[in-house]
Amino acid sequence: MIRVWLMGATFLLLAAGCASTGSLAEDDPLEPVNRAMFTIHQPLETYVMRPIVDVYEVITPTVGQRIIANFFNNIDDLFSGVSGLLQGKLDSAGHDFGRVIVNTSFGLGGMIDFASDADIPRGNQDFGLLLAHWGAGPRPYLFIPVMGPTTLRDGAGMIGQTYASPMSWRMIDEHVALRNTLQGLGIANAMSSGIKTLDTLDRIALDRYTFIRSAYLQRRAYQADDDSYQRAAFEDFDEEE
């Protein structure tokens, strides 16, 4: 736990120091290192992640995959509500907390998504966006093998959510088999979603690294309502760097 806190503090300090605006090159000053990490990631994706996803999808029926996704989405909705509340986005927070109450109470702990059927929207406000609201800039961009694209700011938010997640609570730690099963299902669910996205990118991008970086930074800038960091032009996606 101390290690996680120290990593989070380091992320926050570095993100605060990287809040200036500029070009895409300034967004990715560690590009040589990131590309090396991306090169390491590719065989891991092919020979580790994809086989795990294939086994997961074979042994888990579609309805089971939906139940697992709903369960972890319910946890994300809780964090989104907290993030929205701390940003002063009361409507968004109210919707997220409403989703959690409905799905936890009537959806067997979040396994059934009654809230979406009732047209209660998701806020999608993670802790990285909370840090953006408080003025933390995203730079620099990072690519981490297996985990994928992120930034210092989003990495700090992710560490915070991981630390506060029910999967990290002492009650779960005392039930090792349950904890490991839930964490394994969470990883498999995330990998399955990520692999499907990457398959889509492979059909439209010549330079996979550039496309992923540009798409990620633009999406996060849009979510943070921050025009200052939308530096990636669509013609960049097909550049061979």
Side-chain angles (χ1 to χ4, degrees):
M1 289 185 179
I2 293 175
R3 175 186 286 181
V4 171
W5 184 89
L6 288 174
M7 288 175 65
T10 302
F11 270 127
L12 286 172
L13 290 172
L14 291 174
C18 298
S20 61
T21 61
S23 66
L24 184 58
E26 290 174 318
D27 287 332
D28 191 9
L30 303 176
E31 182 172 349
V33 176
N34 283 330
R35 282 188 177 271
M37 294 299 101
F38 186 73
T39 300
I40 293 173
H41 167 85
Q42 303 232 55
L44 292 175
E45 177 190 319
T46 301
Y47 299 111
V48 178
M49 295 172 65
R50 289 182 182 273
I52 290 175
V53 169
D54 288 342
V55 171
Y56 169 71
E57 293 182 345
V58 166
I59 66 176
T60 310
T62 301
V63 64
Q65 295 176 39
R66 184 69 262 164
I67 288 173
I68 293 168
N70 288 340
F71 176 80
F72 288 101
N73 285 340
N74 194 47
I75 296 175
D76 288 341
D77 287 341
L78 176 61
F79 285 123
S80 179
V82 173
S83 176
L85 184 64
L86 294 177
Q87 293 179 63
K89 299 180 178 180
L90 301 185
D91 287 344
S92 175
H95 289 147
D96 283 324
F97 288 134
R99 288 181 58 87
V100 172
I101 292 171
V102 169
N103 288 338
T104 302
S105 301
F106 304 105
L108 302 177
M111 292 187 290
I112 303 175
D113 187 5
F114 285 126
S116 291
D117 293 337
D119 294 325
I120 303 176
R122 303 187 70 192
N124 294 314
Q125 296 294 317
D126 55 57
F127 280 11
L129 297 179
L130 174 61
L131 294 175
H133 178 79
W134 286 348
R139 293 193 179 100
Y141 171 80
L142 299 171
F143 191 94
I144 300 176
V146 179
M147 194 186 90
T150 188
T151 61
L152 284 174
R153 181 186 68 200
D154 292 341
M158 181 190 67
I159 290 174
Q161 288 192 196
T162 300
Y163 182 84
S165 171
M167 300 300 103
S168 300
W169 291 355
R170 183 66 182 174
M171 178 180 65
I172 295 294
D173 286 342
E174 293 173 354
H175 299 80
V176 178
L178 174 61
R179 180 199 63 196
N180 292 343
T181 298
L182 290 175
Q183 290 179 344
L185 289 174
I187 291 171
N189 174 66
M191 282 187 179
S192 178
S193 177
I195 290 296
K196 291 173 184 175
T197 301
L198 290 172
D199 287 340
T200 300
L201 295 182
D202 285 340
R203 294 193 291 269
I204 60 178
L206 294 179
D207 182 359
R208 208 168 182 239
Y209 174 85
T210 302
F211 190 97
I212 290 173
R213 176 186 63 188
S214 300
Y216 180 83
L217 292 176
Q218 281 201 356
R219 175 176 175 270
R220 294 300 287 176
Y222 172 79
Q223 290 178 313
D225 297 323
D226 187 356
D227 293 332
S228 301
Y229 297 96
Q230 296 194 46
R231 299 294 186 184
F234 284 106
E235 59 264 29
D236 290 340
F237 295 158
D238 292 332
E239 287 182 355
E240 292 288 350
E241 298 186 356

